[in-house]
Amino acid sequence: IRYIGVTGVQTCALPIYMNEIWNLAAKDMNSYAWFVKKNMNALHIDGTLISPSLIQVIDGSLPVPQLKSDQNDPIPNEVKIEWTNDPHIAKQRLSDTLMYMTYHDEKFSEMMDTGYKRNQEFCIVPKPQADTHTNLCYLYFFFRNDNDSLFTPSVNITVNPSR
């Protein structure tokens, strides 16, 4: 039963091209098995989400910095994300692009390019517009390299939606 529910999360709720990214991360497993393994703690026995903040939408081998957001930022319709790069990070990693997805109103968005690079150590993205009385929106940030062959694991930042 769990696998039926998980299949719904991975193939129906997440965009189909995400399967390719999970294949890159899986190595000796198929993407479905790797997705299930990485997200077991985020799913009920029937495969429904326990909490969107627990789901990992992207996995990969690139180093991921600790992302943080100031929830008291005075800009009401934007989210500012900041991070500090490891001073020993490989130079080519500084050109990695920050990508993101959102989850709100029980739907995942498409993958979006923030237009920011790792070397900038911050980005500003619009807050998702809530269609319903959703209390929270979940933003999943991750870096990708220049040829889309390497990714960081996704990091969730939870915000109040724009109304």
Side-chain angles (χ1 to χ4, degrees):
I1 285 181
R2 183 176 195 117
Y3 296 112
I4 293 169
V6 173
T7 300
V9 170
Q10 187 189 20
T11 60
C12 295
L14 291 175
I16 193 70
Y17 59 83
M18 301 294 285
N19 193 40
E20 295 172 23
I21 296 170
W22 280 92
N23 272 332
L24 290 170
K27 296 180 179 122
D28 297 331
M29 301 172 84
N30 67 43
S31 62
Y32 174 79
W34 189 247
F35 179 87
V36 171
K37 181 177 180 176
K38 295 297 280 190
N39 287 295
M40 289 296 272
N41 67 327
L43 304 165
H44 289 288
I45 193 71
D46 66 356
T48 56
L49 285 174
I50 292 170
S51 169
S53 66
L54 298 175
I55 197 101
Q56 187 171 333
V57 296
I58 297 288
D59 191 29
S61 60
L62 289 179
V64 60
Q66 183 176 357
L67 304 179
K68 59 186 175 197
S69 172
D70 181 2
Q71 297 297 321
N72 297 319
D73 198 325
I75 307 170
N77 295 325
E78 295 179 336
V79 179
K80 183 176 183 179
I81 306 298
E82 297 177 293
W83 62 91
T84 301
N85 290 314
D86 182 327
H88 305 292
I89 195 166
K91 189 175 181 177
Q92 76 260 26
R93 295 285 63 88
L94 295 175
S95 65
D96 292 343
T97 301
L98 185 64
M99 308 293 290
Y100 77 113
M101 296 174 63
T102 65
Y103 179 85
H104 62 94
D105 297 326
E106 299 183 14
K107 293 179 276 192
F108 284 95
S109 72
E110 294 291 319
M111 189 179 348
M112 297 173 276
D113 186 333
T114 64
Y116 290 84
K117 301 290 185 182
R118 190 188 289 253
N119 67 339
Q120 293 175 283
E121 297 188 331
F122 84 98
C123 81
I124 297 172
V125 296
K127 277 188 180 179
Q129 292 281 9
D131 297 333
T132 62
H133 295 297
T134 303
N135 291 327
L136 298 172
C137 290
Y138 304 87
L139 291 84
Y140 305 92
F141 291 91
F142 50 95
F143 288 94
R144 68 164 173 78
N145 69 345
D146 292 335
N147 63 3
D148 292 338
S149 63
L150 295 170
F151 297 83
T152 65
S154 58
V155 174
N156 171 258
I157 296 202
T158 306
V159 298
N160 290 317
S162 183
R163 302 244 186 242

